[in-house]
Amino acid sequence: MTAFRIPSTAPARTSAPFVIRSECASDVAARETLLDACFGDNRHERTCQRLRDGRAPAAGLALSAVRGGALVGTLRLWHVSAGGRDALMLGPLAVAREARSLGVGAALMNAALMIAASRGHGAVILLGDAPYYARFGFSVAQTAELELPGPFARERLLGLELVEGALDGAAGPILATGARERKARRSRKERLVSCAA
C-alpha cells in the first residue's frame, strides 16, 4: 500500500478568505442555485447526474465553501462500483463566479481527497476537464476500460488511485452503489407555513 500525498495546488495563506466545511441542510437551496448557475438548466439530464440521482453522497464527503456567510463552492463524492471495484465518483464541483480567483476549487479538491484517503477509500473517478484535474493526479490511465451508463467523452473520464492498485484491472460499467437518499421530512410547522403561503 502506498501512502497518498495531496499535491499542493493553492498558494499558502495566513488567513483564507473562505472556509471549507461539511455540507449542512441549510446549504441545499444555495447549492442547487449554484449548480444551476454553473451547469445550466440541463444539468439533470447529464450522465453523471443520472448516476447520482436518488443516492446520498458518501459519509463526510459533501463539502461546502463559505465566504462571508454565503455558499461559494460545493463538492460531493459518491459510492460507485467501477467495473467491480469500490470507488468514489467526484462531482459536481462548482464555484461561484465571484469566488473563482480565490482558490476555492483547489481547496475543495484537496480537502475531499484528503478526507477520502483518511477514510480508507481506494480510488476516485470523475468526468471532467483533464488539464484542470491533472494537477491533483487524475488521468485517463486507470479508466480506459470503464464505461458510464450514458453518453460521455472518453478523454474526460479520469481516475486517481488513493491506494496503489485500487483500479488495477477495472473494466466494465460504473454503477451507483451508495445508500439511497432519504427525503427530508418537513416539520409540522413547516407544513403549516407552506400551506398558508
Side-chain angles (χ1 to χ4, degrees):
M1 181 190 286
T2 300
F4 171 72
R5 187 178 76 73
I6 307 263
S8 176
T9 58
R13 293 187 179 98
T14 54
S15 83
F18 56 86
V19 173
I20 303 292
R21 62 165 169 72
S22 292
E23 182 182 284
C24 39
S26 62
D27 294 336
V28 173
R31 183 193 71 226
E32 292 302 307
T33 299
L34 176 60
L35 292 174
D36 286 343
C38 291
F39 299 110
D41 295 336
N42 71 340
R43 71 181 175 92
H44 294 285
E45 299 165 16
R46 296 180 181 187
T47 297
C48 285
Q49 181 58 46
R50 290 196 319 265
L51 190 66
R52 295 185 288 260
D53 282 345
R55 300 287 178 166
L61 289 166
L63 303 177
S64 295
V66 179
R67 181 180 190 216
L71 183 83
V72 294
T74 180
L75 184 150
R76 293 170 136 204
L77 290 111
W78 313 79
H79 290 284
V80 294
S81 168
R85 305 288 180 121
D86 289 338
L88 294 170
M89 186 86 176
L90 187 146
L93 166 62
V95 177
R97 183 175 308 280
E98 67 275 11
R100 290 188 182 155
S101 64
L102 302 176
V104 172
L108 283 164
M109 285 294 298
N110 287 332
L113 295 175
M114 185 173 57
I115 294 166
S118 73
R119 291 179 175 230
H121 295 287
V124 178
I125 52 180
L126 61 85
L127 195 61
D129 184 39
Y132 178 83
Y133 290 105
R135 64 182 164 148
F136 302 102
F138 285 86
S139 74
V140 296
Q142 302 294 327
T143 59
E145 301 299 320
L146 294 172
E147 296 288 333
L148 284 168
F152 71 99
R154 167 69 50 203
E155 69 277 5
R156 293 176 57 84
L157 185 59
L158 310 172
L160 171 67
E161 290 183 332
L162 302 175
V163 175
E164 188 175 343
L167 290 175
D168 282 356
I174 297 170
L175 304 170
T177 59
R180 292 279 179 193
E181 190 171 41
R182 290 186 357 205
K183 297 290 182 191
R185 293 186 60 152
R186 295 187 317 173
S187 70
R188 181 175 173 358
K189 182 179 176 183
E190 289 172 318
R191 288 193 304 269
L192 290 174
V193 168
S194 67
C195 290

